[in-house]
PDB file of all heavy atoms in Angstrom:
ATOM      1  N   ASN A  18      -2.168   9.411  19.156  1.00  0.00           N
ATOM      2  CA  ASN A  18      -2.461   8.402  20.176  1.00  0.00           C
ATOM      3  C   ASN A  18      -3.705   7.601  19.811  1.00  0.00           C
ATOM      4  O   ASN A  18      -3.740   6.389  19.966  1.00  0.00           O
ATOM      5  CB  ASN A  18      -2.638   9.054  21.548  1.00  0.00           C
ATOM      6  CG  ASN A  18      -1.329   9.569  22.107  1.00  0.00           C
ATOM      7  OD1 ASN A  18      -0.263   9.135  21.686  1.00  0.00           O
ATOM      8  ND2 ASN A  18      -1.411  10.526  23.017  1.00  0.00           N
ATOM      9  N   LYS A  19      -4.723   8.279  19.330  1.00  0.00           N
ATOM     10  CA  LYS A  19      -5.951   7.582  18.946  1.00  0.00           C
ATOM     11  C   LYS A  19      -5.692   6.671  17.751  1.00  0.00           C
ATOM     12  O   LYS A  19      -6.194   5.566  17.695  1.00  0.00           O
ATOM     13  CB  LYS A  19      -7.048   8.584  18.625  1.00  0.00           C
ATOM     14  CG  LYS A  19      -7.596   9.284  19.837  1.00  0.00           C
ATOM     15  CD  LYS A  19      -8.653  10.287  19.457  1.00  0.00           C
ATOM     16  CE  LYS A  19      -9.102  11.049  20.690  1.00  0.00           C
ATOM     17  NZ  LYS A  19     -10.035  12.121  20.348  1.00  0.00           N
ATOM     18  N   ALA A  20      -4.910   7.152  16.804  1.00  0.00           N
ATOM     19  CA  ALA A  20      -4.660   6.366  15.592  1.00  0.00           C
ATOM     20  C   ALA A  20      -3.912   5.079  15.920  1.00  0.00           C
ATOM     21  O   ALA A  20      -4.162   4.047  15.308  1.00  0.00           O
ATOM     22  CB  ALA A  20      -3.869   7.192  14.581  1.00  0.00           C
ATOM     23  N   THR A  21      -3.006   5.124  16.867  1.00  0.00           N
ATOM     24  CA  THR A  21      -2.232   3.926  17.169  1.00  0.00           C
ATOM     25  C   THR A  21      -3.014   2.932  18.008  1.00  0.00           C
ATOM     26  O   THR A  21      -2.696   1.759  18.018  1.00  0.00           O
ATOM     27  CB  THR A  21      -0.912   4.268  17.891  1.00  0.00           C
ATOM     28  OG1 THR A  21      -1.213   4.974  19.086  1.00  0.00           O
ATOM     29  CG2 THR A  21      -0.012   5.077  16.991  1.00  0.00           C
ATOM     30  N   THR A  22      -4.036   3.375  18.696  1.00  0.00           N
ATOM     31  CA  THR A  22      -4.796   2.450  19.528  1.00  0.00           C
ATOM     32  C   THR A  22      -6.124   2.070  18.884  1.00  0.00           C
ATOM     33  O   THR A  22      -6.775   1.142  19.329  1.00  0.00           O
ATOM     34  CB  THR A  22      -5.069   3.053  20.921  1.00  0.00           C
ATOM     35  OG1 THR A  22      -5.776   4.283  20.767  1.00  0.00           O
ATOM     36  CG2 THR A  22      -3.775   3.284  21.666  1.00  0.00           C
ATOM     37  N   PHE A  23      -6.543   2.772  17.854  1.00  0.00           N
ATOM     38  CA  PHE A  23      -7.845   2.525  17.255  1.00  0.00           C
ATOM     39  C   PHE A  23      -7.863   1.285  16.381  1.00  0.00           C
ATOM     40  O   PHE A  23      -8.798   0.515  16.401  1.00  0.00           O
ATOM     41  CB  PHE A  23      -8.277   3.757  16.445  1.00  0.00           C
ATOM     42  CG  PHE A  23      -9.600   3.590  15.788  1.00  0.00           C
ATOM     43  CD1 PHE A  23     -10.768   3.630  16.532  1.00  0.00           C
ATOM     44  CD2 PHE A  23      -9.688   3.384  14.429  1.00  0.00           C
ATOM     45  CE1 PHE A  23     -11.998   3.472  15.921  1.00  0.00           C
ATOM     46  CE2 PHE A  23     -10.920   3.231  13.808  1.00  0.00           C
ATOM     47  CZ  PHE A  23     -12.074   3.282  14.554  1.00  0.00           C
ATOM     48  N   LEU A  24      -6.826   1.080  15.600  1.00  0.00           N
ATOM     49  CA  LEU A  24      -6.805  -0.019  14.638  1.00  0.00           C
ATOM     50  C   LEU A  24      -5.807  -1.077  15.096  1.00  0.00           C
ATOM     51  O   LEU A  24      -4.614  -0.804  15.181  1.00  0.00           O
ATOM     52  CB  LEU A  24      -6.398   0.522  13.268  1.00  0.00           C
ATOM     53  CG  LEU A  24      -6.620  -0.355  12.064  1.00  0.00           C
ATOM     54  CD1 LEU A  24      -8.103  -0.661  11.870  1.00  0.00           C
ATOM     55  CD2 LEU A  24      -6.091   0.327  10.819  1.00  0.00           C
ATOM     56  N   PRO A  25      -6.271  -2.289  15.377  1.00  0.00           N
ATOM     57  CA  PRO A  25      -5.333  -3.344  15.775  1.00  0.00           C
ATOM     58  C   PRO A  25      -4.301  -3.593  14.674  1.00  0.00           C
ATOM     59  O   PRO A  25      -4.600  -3.465  13.481  1.00  0.00           O
ATOM     60  CB  PRO A  25      -6.227  -4.563  15.967  1.00  0.00           C
ATOM     61  CG  PRO A  25      -7.594  -4.021  16.190  1.00  0.00           C
ATOM     62  CD  PRO A  25      -7.661  -2.747  15.396  1.00  0.00           C
ATOM     63  N   LYS A  26      -3.111  -3.956  15.080  1.00  0.00           N
ATOM     64  CA  LYS A  26      -2.002  -4.137  14.136  1.00  0.00           C
ATOM     65  C   LYS A  26      -2.339  -5.132  13.034  1.00  0.00           C
ATOM     66  O   LYS A  26      -2.045  -4.905  11.861  1.00  0.00           O
ATOM     67  CB  LYS A  26      -0.754  -4.584  14.905  1.00  0.00           C
ATOM     68  CG  LYS A  26       0.488  -4.635  14.072  1.00  0.00           C
ATOM     69  CD  LYS A  26       1.698  -4.987  14.923  1.00  0.00           C
ATOM     70  CE  LYS A  26       2.957  -4.999  14.098  1.00  0.00           C
ATOM     71  NZ  LYS A  26       4.137  -5.277  14.902  1.00  0.00           N
ATOM     72  N   GLU A  27      -2.966  -6.254  13.390  1.00  0.00           N
ATOM     73  CA  GLU A  27      -3.274  -7.264  12.374  1.00  0.00           C
ATOM     74  C   GLU A  27      -4.286  -6.740  11.350  1.00  0.00           C
ATOM     75  O   GLU A  27      -4.223  -7.090  10.170  1.00  0.00           O
ATOM     76  CB  GLU A  27      -3.750  -8.576  12.997  1.00  0.00           C
ATOM     77  CG  GLU A  27      -5.019  -8.496  13.815  1.00  0.00           C
ATOM     78  CD  GLU A  27      -4.815  -8.072  15.270  1.00  0.00           C
ATOM     79  OE1 GLU A  27      -3.669  -7.815  15.679  1.00  0.00           O
ATOM     80  OE2 GLU A  27      -5.816  -7.995  15.996  1.00  0.00           O
ATOM     81  N   VAL A  28      -5.191  -5.876  11.790  1.00  0.00           N
ATOM     82  CA  VAL A  28      -6.156  -5.272  10.868  1.00  0.00           C
ATOM     83  C   VAL A  28      -5.443  -4.278   9.952  1.00  0.00           C
ATOM     84  O   VAL A  28      -5.700  -4.241   8.744  1.00  0.00           O
ATOM     85  CB  VAL A  28      -7.313  -4.594  11.635  1.00  0.00           C
ATOM     86  CG1 VAL A  28      -8.239  -3.840  10.693  1.00  0.00           C
ATOM     87  CG2 VAL A  28      -8.081  -5.622  12.445  1.00  0.00           C
ATOM     88  N   ALA A  29      -4.527  -3.507  10.521  1.00  0.00           N
ATOM     89  CA  ALA A  29      -3.764  -2.549   9.714  1.00  0.00           C
ATOM     90  C   ALA A  29      -2.941  -3.277   8.650  1.00  0.00           C
ATOM     91  O   ALA A  29      -2.891  -2.847   7.490  1.00  0.00           O
ATOM     92  CB  ALA A  29      -2.859  -1.703  10.610  1.00  0.00           C
ATOM     93  N   TRP A  30      -2.315  -4.378   9.018  1.00  0.00           N
ATOM     94  CA  TRP A  30      -1.531  -5.155   8.050  1.00  0.00           C
ATOM     95  C   TRP A  30      -2.421  -5.730   6.957  1.00  0.00           C
ATOM     96  O   TRP A  30      -2.048  -5.781   5.786  1.00  0.00           O
ATOM     97  CB  TRP A  30      -0.739  -6.269   8.735  1.00  0.00           C
ATOM     98  CG  TRP A  30       0.608  -5.804   9.180  1.00  0.00           C
ATOM     99  CD1 TRP A  30       1.044  -5.644  10.458  1.00  0.00           C
ATOM    100  CD2 TRP A  30       1.700  -5.418   8.334  1.00  0.00           C
ATOM    101  NE1 TRP A  30       2.329  -5.169  10.459  1.00  0.00           N
ATOM    102  CE2 TRP A  30       2.757  -5.026   9.162  1.00  0.00           C
ATOM    103  CE3 TRP A  30       1.880  -5.349   6.958  1.00  0.00           C
ATOM    104  CZ2 TRP A  30       3.984  -4.586   8.673  1.00  0.00           C
ATOM    105  CZ3 TRP A  30       3.098  -4.902   6.450  1.00  0.00           C
ATOM    106  CH2 TRP A  30       4.124  -4.530   7.310  1.00  0.00           C
ATOM    107  N   ARG A  31      -3.596  -6.178   7.336  1.00  0.00           N
ATOM    108  CA  ARG A  31      -4.536  -6.706   6.351  1.00  0.00           C
ATOM    109  C   ARG A  31      -4.903  -5.608   5.340  1.00  0.00           C
ATOM    110  O   ARG A  31      -4.908  -5.833   4.140  1.00  0.00           O
ATOM    111  CB  ARG A  31      -5.780  -7.241   7.041  1.00  0.00           C
ATOM    112  CG  ARG A  31      -6.822  -7.798   6.102  1.00  0.00           C
ATOM    113  CD  ARG A  31      -8.054  -8.297   6.885  1.00  0.00           C
ATOM    114  NE  ARG A  31      -9.088  -8.751   6.000  1.00  0.00           N
ATOM    115  CZ  ARG A  31      -9.117  -9.935   5.404  1.00  0.00           C
ATOM    116  NH1 ARG A  31      -8.149 -10.806   5.634  1.00  0.00           N
ATOM    117  NH2 ARG A  31     -10.099 -10.263   4.595  1.00  0.00           N
ATOM    118  N   HIS A  32      -5.199  -4.423   5.842  1.00  0.00           N
ATOM    119  CA  HIS A  32      -5.537  -3.294   4.971  1.00  0.00           C
ATOM    120  C   HIS A  32      -4.355  -2.922   4.075  1.00  0.00           C
ATOM    121  O   HIS A  32      -4.552  -2.607   2.892  1.00  0.00           O
ATOM    122  CB  HIS A  32      -5.968  -2.093   5.801  1.00  0.00           C
ATOM    123  CG  HIS A  32      -7.324  -2.258   6.400  1.00  0.00           C
ATOM    124  ND1 HIS A  32      -8.207  -1.210   6.549  1.00  0.00           N
ATOM    125  CD2 HIS A  32      -7.960  -3.339   6.899  1.00  0.00           C
ATOM    126  CE1 HIS A  32      -9.320  -1.639   7.096  1.00  0.00           C
ATOM    127  NE2 HIS A  32      -9.189  -2.928   7.334  1.00  0.00           N
ATOM    128  N   TYR A  33      -3.148  -2.961   4.638  1.00  0.00           N
ATOM    129  CA  TYR A  33      -1.947  -2.664   3.844  1.00  0.00           C
ATOM    130  C   TYR A  33      -1.806  -3.655   2.684  1.00  0.00           C
ATOM    131  O   TYR A  33      -1.557  -3.269   1.541  1.00  0.00           O
ATOM    132  CB  TYR A  33      -0.707  -2.706   4.738  1.00  0.00           C
ATOM    133  CG  TYR A  33       0.588  -2.659   3.964  1.00  0.00           C
ATOM    134  CD1 TYR A  33       1.065  -1.449   3.465  1.00  0.00           C
ATOM    135  CD2 TYR A  33       1.313  -3.823   3.711  1.00  0.00           C
ATOM    136  CE1 TYR A  33       2.252  -1.406   2.729  1.00  0.00           C
ATOM    137  CE2 TYR A  33       2.488  -3.784   2.988  1.00  0.00           C
ATOM    138  CZ  TYR A  33       2.957  -2.573   2.500  1.00  0.00           C
ATOM    139  OH  TYR A  33       4.118  -2.542   1.772  1.00  0.00           O
ATOM    140  N   LYS A  34      -1.993  -4.934   2.979  1.00  0.00           N
ATOM    141  CA  LYS A  34      -1.870  -5.966   1.935  1.00  0.00           C
ATOM    142  C   LYS A  34      -2.935  -5.780   0.863  1.00  0.00           C
ATOM    143  O   LYS A  34      -2.645  -5.892  -0.339  1.00  0.00           O
ATOM    144  CB  LYS A  34      -1.952  -7.359   2.560  1.00  0.00           C
ATOM    145  CG  LYS A  34      -0.753  -7.688   3.421  1.00  0.00           C
ATOM    146  CD  LYS A  34      -0.977  -8.969   4.207  1.00  0.00           C
ATOM    147  CE  LYS A  34       0.155  -9.186   5.189  1.00  0.00           C
ATOM    148  NZ  LYS A  34      -0.116 -10.293   6.102  1.00  0.00           N
ATOM    149  N   LEU A  35      -4.156  -5.494   1.279  1.00  0.00           N
ATOM    150  CA  LEU A  35      -5.221  -5.247   0.305  1.00  0.00           C
ATOM    151  C   LEU A  35      -4.921  -4.010  -0.529  1.00  0.00           C
ATOM    152  O   LEU A  35      -5.177  -3.986  -1.736  1.00  0.00           O
ATOM    153  CB  LEU A  35      -6.567  -5.105   1.019  1.00  0.00           C
ATOM    154  CG  LEU A  35      -7.139  -6.389   1.602  1.00  0.00           C
ATOM    155  CD1 LEU A  35      -8.313  -6.091   2.537  1.00  0.00           C
ATOM    156  CD2 LEU A  35      -7.551  -7.355   0.498  1.00  0.00           C
ATOM    157  N   ALA A  36      -4.362  -2.983   0.094  1.00  0.00           N
ATOM    158  CA  ALA A  36      -4.015  -1.764  -0.635  1.00  0.00           C
ATOM    159  C   ALA A  36      -2.914  -2.040  -1.661  1.00  0.00           C
ATOM    160  O   ALA A  36      -2.960  -1.520  -2.786  1.00  0.00           O
ATOM    161  CB  ALA A  36      -3.579  -0.668   0.332  1.00  0.00           C
ATOM    162  N   CYS A  37      -1.938  -2.853  -1.297  1.00  0.00           N
ATOM    163  CA  CYS A  37      -0.879  -3.222  -2.248  1.00  0.00           C
ATOM    164  C   CYS A  37      -1.461  -3.965  -3.444  1.00  0.00           C
ATOM    165  O   CYS A  37      -1.105  -3.685  -4.597  1.00  0.00           O
ATOM    166  CB  CYS A  37       0.182  -4.084  -1.571  1.00  0.00           C
ATOM    167  SG  CYS A  37       1.234  -3.181  -0.437  1.00  0.00           S
ATOM    168  N   ILE A  38      -2.360  -4.897  -3.181  1.00  0.00           N
ATOM    169  CA  ILE A  38      -3.008  -5.650  -4.257  1.00  0.00           C
ATOM    170  C   ILE A  38      -3.768  -4.685  -5.175  1.00  0.00           C
ATOM    171  O   ILE A  38      -3.651  -4.749  -6.401  1.00  0.00           O
ATOM    172  CB  ILE A  38      -3.954  -6.725  -3.688  1.00  0.00           C
ATOM    173  CG1 ILE A  38      -3.143  -7.810  -2.970  1.00  0.00           C
ATOM    174  CG2 ILE A  38      -4.839  -7.315  -4.781  1.00  0.00           C
ATOM    175  CD1 ILE A  38      -3.987  -8.743  -2.109  1.00  0.00           C
TER     176      ILE A  38
END
Side-chain angles (χ1 to χ4, degrees):
N18 289 340
K19 288 179 184 175
T21 58
T22 58
F23 180 74
L24 194 62
K26 187 176 182 178
E27 61 275 1
V28 174
W30 271 112
R31 179 181 176 80
H32 287 216
Y33 170 79
K34 292 170 187 171
L35 289 168
C37 287
I38 293 167

